[in-house]
Amino acid sequence: VGGVGLAAGIEAGLSASARLGDDHPTVRSTVWLSAPRVVAVRSEWASAERQAARIRRAGQARDVQARDRIARQKAAQSAHAAAERAQAEVRREAHEAEIASRLKAEETERMLELKAARERAQKATQTERYIEARRDQLRKEVELSQRPLPPLCSCGLDALDNHVDNCARNCVFYKNPQAYSRALSGLFVRAINLV
């Protein structure tokens, strides 16, 4: 820009000196440039223009590089965010799988406990039925033989009473139907005739 104005000013100064004469005060204040000097100024102006163009191109290149760098940073950030989302999804799925496996294990454990409770209840029912059948059988034998039954424990209960529920807490038969069943079975000792 300055080169164009300078060259135009030089040419205007040369044409004014030719028109007004050398003694005119305006022409005297104007710088006189010879033709080689004008060529030198023009070449300086052209080199300044080339330098300005190089600076503009360098600035444009820097702008392009900056835009590329920003684009790469944005792409890296979006890739990082996508990777974090994927990792979060994997962690969430792993957590859900762990919870599902825990729930399944708890369900299995609960089912096993229910099965064991049913088996215990069934066994208790079977034991109770067995004891009741033994009692009935013993009553029939006692009615036929007319001999008294010996006591099973020191609680003072009849041998045919329910010792499991009615004996004292320190008695061997309290809440122990298996022991009561064995003791009740021991009362069925029959004499063997070897004739």
Side-chain angles (χ1 to χ4, degrees):
V1 174
V4 172
L6 180 64
I10 292 171
E11 288 181 14
L14 290 176
S15 64
S17 68
R19 261 188 339 232
L20 298 174
D22 289 340
D23 293 337
H24 196 275
T26 305
V27 174
R28 267 190 253 143
S29 64
T30 307
V31 176
W32 280 96
L33 297 175
S34 63
R37 181 71 182 137
V38 169
V39 170
V41 167
R42 284 183 180 166
S43 69
E44 285 177 22
W45 172 78
S47 72
E49 281 294 317
R50 284 192 300 273
Q51 180 68 21
R54 276 195 298 270
I55 291 172
R56 278 194 305 275
R57 283 193 301 272
Q60 289 171 350
R62 279 193 305 271
D63 290 345
V64 168
Q65 289 174 350
R67 281 194 298 271
D68 289 345
R69 187 176 59 246
I70 290 170
R72 285 192 304 270
Q73 287 174 349
K74 285 182 181 179
Q77 287 173 350
S78 65
H80 182 68
E84 284 182 355
R85 283 193 300 273
Q87 288 176 351
E89 182 68 21
V90 167
R91 283 192 301 268
R92 185 184 62 78
E93 288 175 358
H95 183 67
E96 288 175 357
E98 181 182 343
I99 289 173
S101 67
R102 267 195 233 148
L103 289 175
K104 187 175 181 180
E106 289 174 3
E107 182 68 25
T108 305
E109 185 178 332
R110 190 168 55 246
M111 294 300 286
L112 289 174
E113 287 175 2
L114 287 173
K115 183 178 179 183
R118 275 194 301 260
E119 288 174 356
R120 282 193 303 270
Q122 184 179 4
K123 188 174 181 181
T125 304
Q126 288 174 351
T127 304
E128 200 174 303
R129 287 179 186 162
Y130 174 76
I131 290 172
E132 192 61 40
R134 283 298 209 179
R135 251 193 239 131
D136 289 342
Q137 188 178 10
L138 193 55
R139 276 192 193 106
K140 288 176 185 172
E141 278 192 23
V142 168
E143 288 174 359
L144 292 176
S145 69
Q146 293 299 326
R147 69 182 171 132
L149 290 174
L152 293 176
C153 64
S154 61
C155 294
L157 297 174
D158 186 25
L160 298 176
D161 288 342
N162 188 1
H163 284 262
V164 176
D165 294 329
N166 297 331
C167 277
R169 287 183 185 223
N170 62 350
C171 182
V172 73
F173 299 125
Y174 181 73
K175 301 285 183 195
N176 191 355
Q178 284 83 16
Y180 179 62
S181 166
R182 281 192 303 270
L184 201 57
S185 295
L187 294 177
F188 286 108
V189 177
R190 295 200 168 96
I192 301 174
N193 293 328
L194 295 174
V195 184

